[in-house]
Amino acid sequence: MSDDQDLVRQTVREVLTAHPPVSLTAELTWDEGLWAELAAAGLTGVGLPEEAGGSGGEVADAVAVVGELARGAGAVPVGEQLLVAGPAVLAAGLQLPPPDEPLVAAVDGDLTAVPDGDGWLLSGTAVDVPWAGVALHLAVLAQGPDGPVLALVRAPAPAWTHANLAGEPRGSVAFDGLRAPAAPITVAAVADLRARAALLRAVQLAAALEQVLALTLRYAGEREQFGRPLGKFQAIQMYLAEMAGEVTAVTAVVDAAVQALEAGEPLVPAAATAKVRAGAAVEVVAALAHQVHGAIGFTQEHALHHLTRRCWAWRDEAGSELAWSATLGEHLVAGGADGFWPALTRVV
Amino acid sequence: MTHALTLAPAPRSDAAELVRAEVREFLAAEIAEGTFTPHVDTWLSGVDPAFSRKLGDRGWLGMTWPKEYGGHERTAMERYAVTEELLAAGAPVAAHWIADRQSGPALLRYGTEEHRQEILPRIAAGECFFVIGMSEPDSGSDLASIRTRATRDANGDFVVDGAKVWTSNAHHSHYAITLVRTGPPGDGPRGKHQGLTQLLVDLSLPGITINPIRILDGGHHFNEVVFDGVVVPAGMLLGEEGAGWHQVTAELAFERSGPERFLSTFPLLTELARRAAAGQDRAQLAAVGRLSARLLAIRQLSLRIAAALDRGELPDIPAALVKDIGTTFERDVIDEVRRVAEVTPSLSSPDPLGRALAEAQLHAPGYTLRGGTNEILRGIVARGLGLR
Ligand SMILES: Cc1cc2nc3c(=O)[nH]c(=O)nc-3n(C[C@H](O)[C@H](O)[C@H](O)COP(=O)(O)OP(=O)(O)OC[C@H]3O[C@@H](n4cnc5c(N)ncnc54)[C@H](O)[C@@H]3O)c2cc1C
């Protein structure tokens, strides 16, 4: 980690001190104040080139911003913009919206785009759109006459929204011949886009899980029962050690996947690995964290739920853990059993 | 097999199967009429006094108690069949659950004749609800360290000051069996077990404030119950002054081994079964099979304990073991489902599997904590194995 990223982290942390996690509800679907402050500081454009309107910086800087926001349970679509939708829009040669206006990618659903004069007409329904109702712009993946197309639209009101386990809005957005700028993209770019969405969740999970461990370590040192801190009980020590093992392994593999992204290496197997491993850790880490916290952790009075509820949600978003496990397995055995080990050593 | 864990098989009970059939018929009719929709963990969150009264009308509350107190003198096996049917269906049983399961039996054992005559028939009718007033902010696992205290006033009545927390459904209930300190602790490591007393506290008494505490899904089930100079009449002493610790631990044996310790997430398993049956997916069918085999083993153990309690034994160590493996099972159902089924967990999901998964996940931390944490329970099992 370089000094640049340390500085970025520090800046995000400072912004977050004035914006503790909020409990999202049907009425309060995001932390608009946090977004505004991040945008004013240029943090919603990190890693996007200055000539396109971004703030410049490396992928690693964007990853640092996203990780810090996940640690602080910030309810803002920054990761979607910096790591997924922004790069996809630029790669397709489309005009990046101003970075202070939330942009997310809609990659699932049944959509078509047909060329019409100097634009395209977009029809169909996008599903599982993150931050539906919050994002102002959508980069929508659709099927064109000759292959996949990425369209950029001002987000219409969603047809239906639901909340994930953390209360973050997800939804369906319908289009009926909406005129929009769009560009054909390759099948490989589509796979890359989905992999980026998965890698985003893996980066968020790794940071959130680290924070869950930190909160639990702190609590085990402070809470006393039977006249001693919980951390003095061997059963609790074993739990914390087990959690630390999970978190450390996740961080290692997610860091490696981020390096693959930076190096422009094949992203699908690396992102799949990171997402699956980070998701698997949630089962252990969240359960043990709650076990150590006792009843207070089961309430909204303690901060733990902001993180654990996100972890439970994120592990099955941008492709479920089940789906990504299968994708990874498929990739690894594509060359038969003899190709398995060689393929494995190329993933990250 | 270690002696402390060995239990005789539960006898088969024709009477239990008869009442089971009646409950199934009743539940099918209620669901058809739309009086309730099945949910996960309804013995915490499914408060429906009207439903509780219906169960009372049918004689399904206070089932094992003497008829003179409104009970029905049926066997523990019959009661077991009724409770497991209600839980498996995801029926709203939270209002009366604590009163029927442990407060009524505690009154039968330790209450005065007046308590029994006045309160038990109302519990059996589904009209009187109880909460457990044990935990405090600084006293969870270390229950004997509680600070809520009661002193006698000039009339000999108790004056209670302090606060209880996590008091499930206090805002819907009438009485709290409240553990208070009435005397100083004794010497030695077990000394703090002395000087504790159980009081039967009417929650409408002046000086009691009930404050909501929201759990992960935003639901209001938990409360903080604050006692500020609350005068509890002398006659509301439950059992013996100073014998509170012994009484509480006896109460916990009833609390620990019932079907609610492995069926809290059963409605989620039912939704997986629905998906598996519809798609005939082998991995899903195998998951249903694997989870069912685990469930059935726990259930056999739990039934053995019910039979032992019926014989007047106090199988506290096997009860601790059942609660440990049963509640771990409740939690494991969640990830077994995720491993074999594509499902998006959301409380507002139109897909019943997605909704049940969200409910089960957001309630999951509670399963292995409530009624004594699994770590404390394993300590009890280890003691039973002669290790400590
Ligand atoms: C859903 C739910 C409903 C509840 N309803 C009620 C209610 O109605 N009334 C009521 O009075 N209480 C209720 N409780 C409280 C419950 O009894 C306590 O949560 C439980 O006793 C644990 O106490 P604690 O939460 O303070 O955790 P703590 O005692 O602080 O324990 C925290 C962690 O440390 C571990 N630990 C503590 N001591 C040791 C040790 N010696 N060795 C090893 N590990 C140890 C625990 O196992 C746990 O993992 C409820 C709790 C839940 C979750």
Side-chain angles (χ1 to χ4, degrees):
Chain A
M1 195 193 316
S2 74
D3 294 347
D4 285 354
Q5 278 111 55
D6 275 346
L7 188 66
V8 168
R9 278 176 213 280
Q10 189 56 38
T11 318
V12 177
R13 247 179 254 153
E14 272 161 28
V15 174
L16 280 171
T17 49
H19 298 274
V22 290
S23 286
L24 298 176
T25 61
E27 291 75 41
L28 183 70
T29 53
W30 71 312
D31 191 342
E32 200 171 350
L34 173 60
W35 173 273
E37 211 169 312
L38 293 167
L43 291 163
T44 56
V46 173
L48 302 173
E50 287 179 63
E51 54 279 17
S55 312
E58 310 293 317
V59 170
D61 300 318
V63 168
V65 171
V66 171
E68 274 321 303
L69 286 171
R71 218 180 293 275
V76 284
V78 172
E80 282 78 358
Q81 172 155 313
L82 299 189
L83 292 180
V84 186
V89 164
L90 292 171
L94 297 166
Q95 169 79 44
L96 189 72
D100 59 348
E101 298 182 1
L103 161 73
V104 307
V107 298
D108 292 308
D110 195 6
L111 295 119
T112 56
V114 290
D116 181 65
D118 58 353
W120 294 69
L121 298 180
L122 184 63
S123 298
T125 303
V127 299
D128 294 331
V129 180
W131 303 100
V134 167
L136 289 180
H137 305 274
L138 300 178
V140 185
L141 185 62
Q143 196 54 42
D146 306 312
V149 168
L150 193 71
L152 183 62
V153 301
R154 271 200 89 81
W160 180 72
T161 57
H162 69 276
N164 73 8
L165 292 174
E168 295 174 333
R170 307 293 183 241
S172 306
V173 183
F175 305 94
D176 185 12
L178 182 72
R179 171 173 287 277
I185 60 173
T186 63
V187 170
V190 172
D192 208 57
L193 176 56
R194 293 183 192 283
R196 277 174 169 271
L199 183 59
L200 162 64
R201 292 288 179 252
V203 166
Q204 292 175 308
L205 283 168
L209 289 169
E210 262 179 28
Q211 185 64 11
V212 167
L213 173 61
L215 288 182
T216 310
L217 269 173
R218 192 204 303 161
Y219 189 77
E222 288 170 0
R223 168 79 170 173
E224 292 193 5
Q225 287 292 275
F226 303 99
R228 45 216 289 235
L230 299 179
K232 294 287 176 208
F233 296 114
Q234 197 168 23
I236 302 295
Q237 292 172 359
M238 297 296 126
Y239 287 168
L240 288 164
E242 195 178 342
M243 291 168 72
E246 289 293 302
V247 168
T248 313
V250 167
T251 308
V253 86
V254 170
D255 282 352
V258 168
Q259 277 171 3
L261 173 66
E262 289 171 317
E265 287 162 10
L267 196 58
V268 170
T273 303
K275 174 78 176 359
V276 169
R277 183 61 187 94
V282 172
E283 182 178 353
V284 178
V285 175
L288 291 181
H290 275 291
Q291 194 64 20
V292 173
H293 276 83
I296 185 79
F298 189 45
T299 72
Q300 297 201 351
E301 316 245 310
H302 190 283
L304 183 64
H305 77 99
H306 291 296
L307 295 159
T308 50
R309 289 197 291 146
R310 282 182 168 76
C311 289
W312 288 324
W314 290 342
R315 63 180 174 174
D316 283 323
E317 289 184 343
S320 68
E321 203 176 313
L322 177 61
W324 281 112
S325 301
T327 301
L328 181 59
E330 245 166 48
H331 171 87
L332 292 172
V333 303
D338 290 340
F340 175 41
W341 172 249
L344 199 63
T345 53
R346 277 195 303 272
V347 172
V348 284
Chain B
M1 179 54 84
T2 314
H3 179 69
L5 294 175
T6 315
L7 288 170
R12 288 186 181 271
S13 162
D14 292 338
E17 293 317 305
L18 277 176
V19 71
R20 184 191 301 287
E22 291 169 26
V23 178
R24 279 188 191 165
E25 204 178 307
F26 164 77
L27 287 170
E30 291 293 306
I31 292 177
E33 274 173 38
T35 51
F36 76 90
T37 30
H39 286 285
V40 165
D41 200 17
T42 45
W43 65 277
L44 174 68
S45 51
V47 174
D48 183 344
F51 188 81
S52 294
R53 266 195 302 280
K54 279 190 196 171
L55 297 181
D57 288 346
R58 282 170 176 72
W60 293 336
L61 300 180
M63 283 180 78
T64 61
W65 309 346
K67 288 192 173 148
E68 56 179 316
Y69 303 127
H72 305 281
E73 300 186 3
R74 306 185 68 167
T75 63
M77 289 299 138
E78 289 171 278
R79 175 175 185 272
Y80 194 101
V82 170
T83 53
E84 74 171 345
E85 288 300 319
L86 292 168
L87 292 167
V93 293
H96 66 265
W97 194 262
I98 303 298
D100 176 61
R101 178 184 71 183
Q102 70 191 81
S103 315
L107 291 186
L108 270 177
R109 284 177 83 160
Y110 303 114
T112 62
E113 190 54 28
E114 211 180 319
H115 297 155
R116 291 182 196 153
Q117 292 200 356
E118 258 188 28
I119 300 175
L120 291 178
R122 288 169 55 214
I123 298 180
E127 288 170 358
C128 180
F129 309 134
F130 271 65
V131 294
I132 303 169
M134 295 190 194
S135 306
E136 297 181 8
D138 293 330
S139 306
S141 300
D142 186 8
L143 182 60
S145 70
I146 54 154
R147 296 204 195 111
T148 297
R149 46 182 305 113
T151 49
R152 297 268 195 174
D153 67 10
N155 305 325
D157 293 336
F158 294 94
V159 181
V160 182
D161 285 284
K164 296 290 173 182
V165 273
W166 327 132
T167 332
S168 306
N169 295 318
H171 54 311
H172 295 299
S173 300
H174 306 93
Y175 290 97
I177 295 188
T178 309
L179 186 69
V180 297
R181 184 159 282 292
T182 46
D187 297 327
R190 297 195 188 282
K192 63 185 173 184
H193 296 169
Q194 295 170 27
L196 296 172
T197 298
Q198 281 189 310
L199 297 178
L200 206 54
V201 179
D202 180 336
L203 285 167
S204 66
L205 286 176
I208 295 182
T209 316
I210 298 176
N211 301 314
I213 300 174
R214 307 231 160 244
I215 64 167
L216 299 194
D217 63 2
H220 173 198
H221 315 295
F222 271 175
N223 298 280
E224 178 196 33
V225 180
V226 182
F227 301 85
D228 183 9
V230 178
V231 179
V232 176
M236 299 306 264
L237 168 67
L238 181 63
E240 247 180 82
E241 187 167 345
W245 185 257
H246 172 74
Q247 293 175 203
V248 154
T249 40
E251 200 178 319
L252 288 173
F254 281 92
E255 193 191 324
R256 280 185 174 154
S257 58
E260 73 273 32
R261 299 307 182 180
F262 57 91
L263 291 178
S264 302
T265 57
F266 189 76
L268 170 60
L269 184 48
T270 301
E271 291 310 324
L272 179 65
R274 195 185 316 282
R275 176 88 65 105
Q280 288 297 307
D281 176 289
R282 274 194 75 76
Q284 290 174 4
L285 291 166
V288 170
R290 196 161 46 236
L291 288 166
S292 299
R294 277 178 76 180
L295 185 155
L296 287 171
I298 297 163
R299 179 168 177 264
Q300 282 305 314
L301 259 178
S302 168
L303 280 165
R304 286 179 180 204
I305 292 170
L309 286 169
D310 223 8
R311 293 192 299 266
E313 299 165 23
L314 198 69
D316 51 340
I317 292 167
L321 184 135
V322 164
K323 184 170 173 301
D324 180 22
I325 62 175
T327 56
T328 304
F329 167 80
E330 292 181 327
R331 188 174 70 195
D332 287 353
V333 172
I334 296 165
D335 285 284
E336 284 268 9
V337 167
R338 293 180 49 254
R339 269 191 272 281
V340 295
E342 278 291 350
V343 49
T344 305
S346 171
L347 292 173
S348 48
S349 175
D351 167 18
L353 182 62
R355 207 195 59 200
L357 181 61
E359 292 177 357
Q361 182 71 80
L362 292 172
H363 278 225
Y367 312 146
T368 53
L369 293 170
R370 55 186 169 193
T373 69
N374 286 27
E375 294 68 39
I376 297 300
L377 297 173
R378 285 173 204 157
I380 293 171
V381 174
R383 186 171 304 130
L385 293 171
L387 294 168
R388 43 195 280 195

